[in-house]
Amino acid sequence: MLIRIILNLFLLTQLFFASHVFASGGYDNGTAAGKGKLDLDLTINPGDLSNEWPESLDEKGQSYLVWGYGLDDEFDFHGYVSHGADGTDQIYYGLKYNFLSTDRLDLSTATGLRHIDSRTDLIFPQFLYTIKLSNDFDIIGSLTNIYNTTDDDNIGQSSDIAFRIPVPKSMTPSFFRDIKIAVGLFKPSTRDWKPSSDNWYPTYSIDCRF
């Protein structure tokens, strides 16, 4: 039942964005996972699902799995793995620190390393946020700087923002704390993206907390 729901949500998302969905962003946010708890965010590039998608989708975007595991109530071991439509794979891992948590706002900072192609990037500084709205809706996003340690060169900044919609508790299996659908925009660093562009790209993810 859950798999069918998630697949239907994927398909609805693709139909909504049509040929403009690039599935480019791996979402993270300002909320800590909590000690011993796990957060997983999944983004699947439609071009990775089937060869029958339009060529414009197959050539762009990335599929992501983003994780956050609570070492305590403030520090998370977080990161992501991704596969690009152009065949490029990458992995990022680091530590996230939640320095502010209120009923309406969570703020965090983070640092970590990203391995992509033959280079290693330092992702620092990072600023991550969660704006908590009524009825468990929220706005999440991040601002990050990317530094190429291999070539000693600062690549630039990337950012994302998303609106998250909670899946009703009646549709959420008991082993999840909650599931949300995030729909938003991602702006890559212009020097870390081919072709180089200042555009914002539509993205989505399925966010699960255990």
Side-chain angles (χ1 to χ4, degrees), residues 139-198:
I139 297 171
I140 64 170
S142 66
L143 303 170
T144 66
N145 184 71
I146 305 168
Y147 180 81
N148 180 350
T149 64
T150 304
D151 297 329
D152 192 22
D153 179 38
N154 197 67
I155 294 174
Q157 293 74 43
S158 65
S159 55
D160 63 66
I161 185 170
F163 179 61
R164 288 202 303 189
I165 305 163
V167 172
K169 291 295 184 182
S170 61
M171 299 171 61
T172 304
S174 58
F175 53 85
F176 290 105
R177 282 189 288 162
D178 58 54
I179 300 175
K180 295 186 177 183
I181 310 301
V183 179
L185 298 169
F186 170 68
K187 184 178 182 181
S189 165
T190 56
R191 293 174 59 196
D192 197 35
W193 189 261
K194 296 180 179 57
S196 180
S197 173
D198 288 322

Side-chain angles (χ1 to χ4, degrees), residues 15-181:
L15 290 172
F16 178 76
F17 284 120
S19 63
H20 298 291
V21 173
F22 297 153
S24 307
Y27 288 118
D28 208 340
N29 60 83
T31 304
K35 185 176 181 179
K37 297 178 180 178
L38 177 66
D39 294 348
L40 292 177
D41 307 335
L42 177 65
T43 299
I44 294 182
N45 179 37
D48 289 334
L49 288 176
S50 171
N51 293 330
E52 296 180 1
W53 286 97
E55 185 178 354
S56 59
L57 289 180
D58 191 53
E59 292 176 346
K60 300 178 177 67
Q62 300 179 59
S63 295
Y64 273 86
L65 177 65
V66 183
W67 74 82
Y69 177 77
L71 302 175
D72 60 22
D73 289 333
E74 295 177 336
F75 281 95
D76 283 3
F77 172 58
H78 80 147
Y80 67 80
V81 291
S82 74
H83 172 70
D86 61 357
T88 300
D89 297 322
Q90 55 183 294
I91 181 171
Y92 162 81
Y93 50 87
L95 289 176
K96 182 173 77 173
Y97 171 60
N98 174 231
F99 61 86
L100 176 68
S101 183
T102 71
D103 290 341
R104 291 298 180 186
L105 181 66
D106 288 341
L107 298 177
S108 294
T109 186
T111 185
L113 296 175
R114 180 181 70 168
H115 302 283
I116 177 173
D117 293 328
S118 59
R119 77 174 198 254
T120 299
D121 296 333
L122 173 66
I123 312 298
F124 179 82
Q126 299 183 55
F127 175 73
L128 308 101
Y129 58 89
T130 302
I131 302 170
K132 305 171 190 177
L133 308 176
S134 301
N135 300 314
D136 214 23
F137 289 83
D138 50 32
I139 297 171
I140 64 170
S142 66
L143 303 170
T144 66
N145 184 71
I146 305 168
Y147 180 81
N148 180 350
T149 64
T150 304
D151 297 329
D152 192 22
D153 179 38
N154 197 67
I155 294 174
Q157 293 74 43
S158 65
S159 55
D160 63 66
I161 185 170
F163 179 61
R164 288 202 303 189
I165 305 163
V167 172
K169 291 295 184 182
S170 61
M171 299 171 61
T172 304
S174 58
F175 53 85
F176 290 105
R177 282 189 288 162
D178 58 54
I179 300 175
K180 295 186 177 183
I181 310 301

